[in-house]
Amino acid sequence: MIDGKKVLFSGMQATGNLTLGNYLGALKNWVTLSDEYECFYSVVDLHSITVRQDPAELRKRARNLLTLYIAAGLDPEKNCLYYQSHVSGHAELSWILNCFTYMGELNRMTQFKDKSAKHADNINAGLFTYPVLMAADILLYQADVVPVGKDQLQHLEITRDIAQRFNAIYGDVFTIPEPYVGKAGARIMSLQDPAKKMSKSDENPNASIYLMDDPDTVIRKFKRAVTDSVGEIRYCEEQPGIHNLIDIYCACTGKTPEETEREFAGKGYGDFKLAVGETVAGVLKPVQDRYAALQNDKAYIDGIIKNNAEKAGYYANKTLRKVQKKVGFPERIR
């Protein structure tokens, strides 16, 4: 805990362009948490290089992502927004935790299997030990809670296993993190294949709404969204395309699915898709306007990067020094 608050950690990779799914499923909800938790939100650029990146593009995307955090409403005075690569403790603790993680545990990670299949020409050790770095991210700040989706629960479980194993040997060193069980973010699916999540890496440009899409692009993509031949706007599993559009509409308006069904009773899919598109464009515009203003204020963003890296580094080093002492590393002469 920090100043009486429980600690929350999360982060996003500096790859691709953030989607509406990233915003409604995570980022929008992060904004509400700073009063209850001491929040650390990282741009996890160390994780990004398990896949080959263009260096200049990675730097650009990392800065853009941190700027988007702020544009979306995260106050950098209340939340610690920082680059993972600017806090060396992430990599240092990751190495130590590697020595307390078993090969069998890493072999069971489904994400390694999935990414290996996608990047068969670059199955590197970093891809294999990715969950250990994620564990270091979380344990470095003694996080009490971590917001995770179903696809990340396995990583939180191995984090807990590593922390408990270390504590069993050296005493009460790490806080054992729990999954965040507050209000769940909307699970936003692909507009072209509602059986899978909206993804920033989708090869079909019409499948995802990106946070920087202009209103015409947003509306055009929704008009092309996959629906069905039923012809009724009903919130049911048998109509996954309409189900997804209702989820998006409700996440943006605060309405319930039942209210949405009543609002569009008797109307066609064309009217509904246009309404969803216009609503989403309206939600994104303030974020886009704020982002554009921040992009023009280099000194402000540079100051946040510097100050928040120092804050993150302070708390990271408190944990790291304790761990280094526990495992027997010589103390540093100051």
Side-chain angles (χ1 to χ4, degrees), residues 14 45 54-65 83:
D45 46 354
D54 175 85
E57 188 66 20
L58 180 60
R59 278 190 288 272
K60 178 182 176 183
R61 288 189 184 280
R63 187 180 181 94
N64 288 348
L65 178 54
Y83 294 143

Side-chain angles (χ1 to χ4, degrees), residues 2 7 9 40 42 46 82-94 96-97 132-144 146 159 163 173-175 177 311-324:
I2 298 175
V7 176
F9 175 88
F40 291 82
S42 181
L46 293 179
Y82 71 101
Y83 294 143
Q84 182 189 30
S85 61
H86 283 193
V87 180
S88 62
H90 286 267
E92 292 185 69
L93 182 58
S94 181
I96 295 172
L97 297 183
V132 185
L133 177 57
M134 185 176 286
D137 298 338
I138 296 165
L139 300 177
L140 196 59
Y141 300 99
Q142 303 290 353
D144 296 280
V146 182
T159 297
V173 178
F174 293 122
T175 299
K311 178 180 177 180
Y314 169 77
Y315 287 107
N317 282 331
K318 286 180 71 174
T319 298
L320 187 61
R321 298 295 172 256
K322 186 176 183 179
V323 170
Q324 289 171 332

Side-chain angles (χ1 to χ4, degrees), residues 8 67 85 89 145 148 203 265 291 330:
L8 180 147
T67 304
S85 61
V145 292
V148 287
E203 294 180 0
Y291 177 80

Side-chain angles (χ1 to χ4, degrees), residues 5-309:
K5 286 184 177 181
K6 288 186 174 182
V7 176
L8 180 147
F9 175 88
S10 194
M12 293 184 183
Q13 281 203 47
T15 54
N17 297 309
L18 289 194
T19 70
L20 181 68
N22 297 129
Y23 178 66
L24 296 178
L27 200 47
K28 183 182 176 185
N29 292 311
W30 288 1
V31 175
T32 66
L33 298 174
S34 59
D35 289 334
E36 184 177 356
Y37 297 99
E38 186 71 32
C39 300
F40 291 82
Y41 294 121
S42 181
V43 174
V44 289
D45 46 354
L46 293 179
H47 286 289
S48 300
I49 64 169
T50 57
V51 177
R52 294 287 175 263
Q53 304 291 336
D54 175 85
E57 188 66 20
L58 180 60
R59 278 190 288 272
K60 178 182 176 183
R61 288 189 184 280
R63 187 180 181 94
N64 288 348
L65 178 54
L66 189 137
T67 304
L68 258 176
Y69 281 176
I70 303 167
L74 289 174
D75 184 345
E77 299 296 324
K78 288 185 175 182
N79 305 278
C80 188
L81 316 176
Y82 71 101
Y83 294 143
Q84 182 189 30
S85 61
H86 283 193
V87 180
S88 62
H90 286 267
E92 292 185 69
L93 182 58
S94 181
W95 169 251
I96 295 172
L97 297 183
N98 266 317
C99 300
F100 292 85
T101 307
Y102 300 131
M103 295 286 286
E105 291 173 311
L106 295 176
N107 276 324
R108 289 194 293 271
M109 294 290 106
T110 55
Q111 196 170 67
F112 171 70
K113 297 171 185 175
D114 294 342
K115 289 197 171 185
S116 296
K118 290 180 182 177
H119 305 282
D121 60 335
N122 182 27
I123 304 176
N124 57 73
L127 197 62
F128 187 65
T129 60
Y130 182 105
V132 185
L133 177 57
M134 185 176 286
D137 298 338
I138 296 165
L139 300 177
L140 196 59
Y141 300 99
Q142 303 290 353
D144 296 280
V145 292
V146 182
V148 287
K150 288 183 179 179
D151 55 340
Q152 295 291 346
L153 268 176
Q154 195 180 36
H155 286 158
L156 185 59
E157 288 168 3
I158 195 173
T159 297
R160 289 169 52 85
D161 289 342
I162 295 167
Q164 288 166 345
R165 183 175 302 134
F166 194 94
N167 285 357
I169 299 169
Y170 297 108
D172 189 18
V173 178
F174 293 122
T175 299
I176 308 300
E178 300 285 345
Y180 174 67
V181 292
K183 182 183 176 183
R187 183 174 169 83
I188 306 303
M189 313 306 283
S190 163
L191 296 184
Q192 294 299 309
D193 181 1
K196 66 180 186 180
K197 279 176 63 177
M198 185 177 287
S199 170
K200 55 185 178 179
S201 61
D202 200 307
E203 294 180 0
N204 186 340
N206 292 311
S208 301
I209 302 294
Y210 299 107
L211 293 196
M212 292 298 110
D213 279 348
D214 61 70
D216 288 343
T217 300
V218 170
I219 291 168
R220 174 173 49 78
K221 288 183 179 181
F222 274 107
K223 284 182 177 179
R224 295 178 178 177
V226 169
T227 51
D228 52 58
S229 59
V230 175
E232 291 183 51
I233 298 166
R234 292 186 298 126
Y235 192 68
C236 60
E237 298 299 332
E238 292 74 26
Q239 294 177 258
I242 292 297
H243 189 286
N244 186 40
L245 294 180
I246 291 176
D247 278 337
I248 293 170
Y249 188 72
C250 292
C252 290
T253 62
K255 295 180 180 179
T256 66
E258 293 74 22
E259 289 170 336
T260 302
E261 286 181 340
R262 288 195 295 270
E263 181 181 350
F264 292 96
K267 294 186 178 179
Y269 288 170
D271 290 337
F272 181 50
K273 289 197 280 189
L274 177 61
V276 178
E278 289 175 342
T279 299
V280 169
V283 166
L284 294 184
K285 189 176 187 306
V287 177
Q288 294 170 349
D289 290 346
R290 175 70 171 144
Y291 177 80
L294 289 168
Q295 287 284 65
N296 292 324
D297 197 343
K298 183 177 184 298
Y300 175 69
I301 298 298
D302 285 349
I304 288 167
I305 291 170
K306 179 179 183 295
N307 293 336
N308 280 0

